[in-house]
Amino acid sequence: MVPAPWRSEDGHLRPLRAVEGELANRSQAELVDLVQWTDLILFDYLTANFDRLVSNLFSLQWDPRVMHRATSNLHRGPGGALVFLDNEAGLVHGYRVAGMWDKYNEPLLQSVCVFRERTARRVLELHRGQDAAARLLRLYQHHEPRFPELAELADPHAQLLQRRLDFLAKHILHCKAKYGRRPGT
């Protein structure tokens, strides 16, 4: 279920930012959980995944309580860490239908201005390098035993991956400029 700080009274998402007082009374465990959710939102935006939170936002038109239910394709590991599952709705397939879902994906991303420092640093590094698809390909070659049988990311998708990464970097920098550097930002 989406953490309470993001849910408004009507069940929709409300922006969560690192502003004075908003996160001050949260426990360490709650803050860790929140930044895991921001990682999820950033990852889903980057891969254009639409079968998790984005599909919940779409479903709000019929079901105002959808944000109070378990989130699809998301589990918790034994230590409580979120485990993101993908049923082929992200990256290549997600990019093919991104135009249909980005009207939900972009506002979801813009509802977040609290980031895990390691995640923000990595996004900015990938943005500066302008080589996200090449890095992904190297990881894929190294860790996927069936790589020779499978296709690599097509050039239009590789370019879209970099554009989405650049958009994430711009959003992170915007948040840092607007709200300053506070813990968890």
Side-chain angles (χ1 to χ4, degrees):
M1 176 175 11
V2 175
W6 268 299
R7 292 190 317 259
S8 64
E9 295 289 323
D10 63 1
H12 289 77
L13 290 181
R14 67 176 193 79
L16 178 64
R17 295 178 171 86
V19 296
E20 296 299 328
E22 178 140 24
L23 301 176
N25 296 325
R26 303 284 172 192
S27 70
Q28 173 109 9
E30 288 175 304
L31 293 173
V32 167
D33 195 49
L34 286 172
V35 294
Q36 286 186 80
W37 280 85
T38 63
D39 278 357
L40 172 82
I41 290 168
L42 292 176
F43 182 75
D44 280 359
Y45 175 79
L46 183 62
T47 62
N49 188 305
F50 59 87
D51 67 347
R52 205 177 341 252
L53 289 178
V54 168
S55 66
N56 285 0
L57 290 172
F58 177 73
S59 297
L60 277 170
Q61 60 190 315
W62 301 288
D63 183 0
R65 306 260 324 137
V66 71
M67 291 300 183
H68 296 274
R69 291 189 182 81
T71 302
S72 298
N73 299 317
L74 182 65
H75 293 284
R76 289 210 181 260
L82 293 180
V83 178
F84 311 165
L85 304 175
D86 181 23
N87 295 322
E88 299 181 20
L91 207 53
V92 175
H93 179 60
Y95 287 174
R96 283 195 295 260
V97 296
M100 187 167 56
W101 293 103
D102 274 350
K103 64 183 173 187
Y104 300 99
N105 226 332
E106 288 178 10
L108 180 60
L109 172 64
Q110 292 167 348
S111 77
V112 176
C113 261
V114 178
F115 309 101
R116 187 187 313 243
E117 184 147 347
R118 180 180 67 190
T119 301
R121 187 173 48 248
R122 189 71 170 146
V123 166
L124 295 173
E125 176 187 310
L126 289 167
H127 163 68
R128 281 190 302 275
Q130 292 294 298
D131 63 347
R135 288 183 188 207
L136 181 61
L137 179 61
R138 284 192 299 272
L139 286 170
Y140 186 44
Q141 288 172 319
H142 186 262
H143 295 290
E144 175 53 58
R146 297 188 62 198
F147 170 76
E149 304 165 38
L150 304 171
E152 62 186 78
L153 201 57
D155 193 50
H157 292 144
Q159 291 173 17
L160 186 54
L161 171 65
Q162 190 64 54
R163 284 194 308 271
R164 292 178 88 83
L165 190 58
D166 295 344
F167 187 83
L168 285 177
K170 182 192 270 186
H171 178 66
I172 289 170
L173 292 172
H174 164 78
C175 290
K176 285 187 177 194
K178 187 169 184 174
Y179 298 105
R181 187 177 178 89
R182 293 188 174 89
T185 63

